[in-house]
Amino acid sequence: MKKLTLSFITLALAGVSNVTLPINSAGVPEGQAVQLGIRPEHIQITELAQADIEGEVLFVEQMGNETLLYVNSGYGSEPLVMRHTSRLEIQTDRRIGLRLPPENCYLFNSDGRAFVRIQLAG
């Protein structure tokens, strides 16, 4: 029987932090341009010291049962949108820390195709 060795991908996020993702690194050349994807409801607010990325709150949209935050994280031309399941009282222009849970992140190549995720037991 062959021993299966899994190799995860670690992304350096503009010098802020590294995020290790459960993505099979086979066939992903080092230095290849990739795009990180995560759904707005999976992004979490955290202390700046523990943040994967940080950004400035541009706009807060109260939707009744949830809050949408539009954050300038410095990545790309569009703001990052975070969805929280309750009402948040956060002021615009405030700097906040955001956590990107690896189990909710996806990685895409320049053609928009997703890299293979590693299914973790548990």
Side-chain angles (χ1 to χ4, degrees):
M1 178 166 33
K2 276 182 137 178
K3 181 179 177 187
L4 180 61
T5 303
L6 299 179
S7 181
F8 291 39
I9 289 180
T10 299
L11 295 178
L13 299 175
V16 177
S17 70
N18 291 330
V19 176
T20 300
L21 303 178
I23 306 288
N24 187 344
S25 65
V28 183
E30 188 171 335
Q32 177 179 352
V34 294
Q35 185 171 20
L36 179 68
I38 185 168
R39 294 183 184 272
E41 61 269 21
H42 293 143
I43 301 169
Q44 303 167 354
I45 295 178
T46 189
E47 300 294 324
L48 286 172
Q50 282 80 44
D52 294 319
I53 60 174
E54 54 186 71
E56 179 183 329
V57 177
L58 299 173
F59 185 72
V60 179
E61 187 173 5
Q62 301 293 349
M63 303 294 289
N65 65 334
E66 64 186 15
T67 303
L68 298 178
L69 295 181
Y70 297 81
V71 179
N72 178 4
S73 63
Y75 297 100
S77 59
E78 297 295 319
L80 183 70
V81 180
M82 182 212 154
R83 187 173 124 207
H84 197 276
T85 57
S86 63
R87 186 174 182 88
L88 291 178
E89 298 298 330
I90 294 183
Q91 301 297 317
T92 57
D93 299 327
R94 178 177 168 198
R95 194 134 193 91
I96 61 171
L98 300 173
R99 182 172 176 279
L100 309 174
E103 64 274 12
N104 299 120
C105 291
Y106 294 84
L107 201 61
F108 301 91
N109 67 15
S110 58
D111 295 331
R113 294 184 14 196
F115 289 105
V116 177
R117 294 179 56 82
I118 296 171
Q119 297 301 316
L120 304 175

